[in-house]
Amino acid sequence: MAAPATSHFSLPGWKPGSRSGLARRGLMLVLSSPSGAGKTTLSRRLLAEDDRITMSVSVTTRAPRPGEVDGKDYFFVSKERFEELRDTGALLEHATVFSNLYGTPRQAVEDALSAGRDVLFDIDWQGTQQLDQSAEQDLVKVFLLPPTAEDLEKRLRTRAQDTDDVVRQRMSKASDEISHFTEYDYILINQDVEDSLAKLKAILQAERLKRRRLTGLAGFVKGLRDAL
Ligand SMILES: Nc1nc2c(ncn2[C@@H]2O[C@H](COP(=O)(O)OP(=O)(O)O)[C@@H](O)[C@H]2O)c(=O)[nH]1
Ligand SMILES: Nc1ncnc2c1ncn2[C@@H]1O[C@H](COP(=O)(O)OP(=O)(O)O)[C@@H](O)[C@H]1O
């Protein structure tokens, strides 16, 4: 006998009320770019508009910029504390960027993923390579490019949070950073924030539908076929 029309809501693997429907593994969305291309801006917008993704808050030995909040933008730590975290395996990946140490706390990422949430990372190419080795299947790698070199410099200057020396240092590293674009799955030329955000959301939506992430799919399809 055919099952009642609503019975698929109780099929294994189907989460009632969830917009995506099927239970799935959380994914790890990485945003990398040369400094000033717009990672922080896009990350904030995405987090504000998508309640299924959590930011991975990195630890760093860099000094806070004006307005940056400890525990929200970064965990600002001493070099000694950073080394202790790194040496006790508390970091999922770590790298030196612009003479400062940066790393991703492991526990928060594992907790979010096991709760079925997605995690957003603003990390450089070195960290991305390390995540690729440990979590390739869960990783979605997006690289942002500035539309022009002039735009990049203007953005670094209008952010007005770094000294002239720091801006110069970041501009001179930009070409090296950009050379890693081939290691990424998606490229966004960040000319217009709204347009880039729409594209980033489209990437996320499509990646969430990848068959291999849908842990509830086999049970759902089995239930569906049994009912046919
Ligand atoms: N590998 C790695 N890179 C990080 C991490 N956190 C931040 N970064 C990168 O470090 C670089 C400098 O970051 P930041 O000092 O905030 O400067 P900004 O990119 O100009 O905003 C950027 O490329 C970040 O993506 C981390 O936990 N791991
Ligand atoms: N598409 C864009 N068009 C114009 N300005 C932008 C755009 N994206 C970001 N910005 C500005 O550029 C500066 C650097 O952006 P930010 O998000 O801090 O870059 P990143 O995190 O990659 O270093 C900020 O002042 C930001 O408001």
Side-chain angles (χ1 to χ4, degrees):
M1 193 180 77
T6 55
S7 71
H8 60 281
F9 283 100
S10 58
L11 288 174
W14 181 271
K15 278 203 281 186
S18 104
R19 265 182 292 155
S20 57
L22 291 170
R24 65 171 175 85
R25 294 170 64 76
L27 58 79
M28 300 161 79
L29 179 65
V30 169
L31 269 188
S32 299
S33 78
S35 180
K39 296 179 299 292
T40 309
T41 307
L42 272 179
S43 297
R44 285 186 182 154
R45 288 291 306 275
L46 184 65
L47 291 165
E49 296 184 24
D50 187 316
D51 58 11
R52 287 178 288 166
I53 195 158
T54 303
M55 190 78 205
S56 164
V57 180
S58 296
V59 284
T60 183
T61 60
R62 150 162 100 57
R65 293 185 180 129
E68 280 185 331
V69 177
D70 188 35
K72 183 166 177 282
D73 297 294
Y74 281 103
F75 293 103
F76 297 99
V77 297
S78 65
K79 188 159 178 281
E80 291 68 34
R81 175 68 182 142
F82 189 98
E83 286 168 351
E84 187 185 317
L85 291 169
R86 183 193 62 198
D87 296 346
T88 55
L91 302 180
L92 202 51
E93 61 74 35
H94 59 87
T96 303
V97 189
F98 306 123
S99 323
N100 295 308
L101 303 173
Y102 293 85
T104 300
R106 182 188 298 278
Q107 193 64 51
V109 174
E110 288 177 354
D111 289 351
L113 291 175
S114 57
R117 293 184 60 76
D118 301 317
V119 184
L120 177 61
F121 300 79
D122 171 341
I123 61 174
D124 81 332
W125 61 270
Q126 303 174 83
T128 307
Q129 285 187 353
Q130 292 169 52
L131 293 187
D132 227 349
Q133 282 172 9
S134 58
E136 188 194 0
Q137 290 291 308
D138 294 331
L139 211 56
V140 179
K141 298 169 287 181
V142 179
F143 199 85
L144 294 186
L145 290 169
T148 65
E150 291 73 26
D151 280 308
L152 185 64
E153 181 159 9
K154 205 160 30 167
R155 287 179 195 179
L156 282 170
R157 292 198 184 283
T158 55
R159 185 164 67 185
Q161 288 179 324
D162 295 314
T163 61
D164 272 2
D165 262 5
V166 169
V167 169
R168 262 194 298 277
Q169 185 196 23
R170 284 170 185 243
M171 280 302 285
S172 73
K173 280 282 285 180
S175 176
D176 282 354
E177 292 288 328
I178 287 174
S179 71
H180 291 277
F181 77 98
T182 54
E183 296 158 27
Y184 287 75
D185 303 312
Y186 298 95
I187 304 295
L188 293 177
I189 298 179
N190 182 25
Q191 175 129 38
D192 174 74
V193 176
E194 299 307 323
D195 178 58
S196 299
L197 180 66
K199 287 173 177 157
L200 189 59
K201 285 177 164 178
I203 292 168
L204 191 51
Q205 189 171 23
E207 288 287 344
R208 282 172 170 158
L209 295 172
K210 282 241 168 102
R211 179 161 48 84
R212 69 166 185 269
R213 304 194 203 288
L214 301 176
T215 50
L217 186 59
F220 174 73
V221 171
K222 180 175 183 309
L224 196 57
R225 295 183 71 191
D226 286 350
L228 289 171

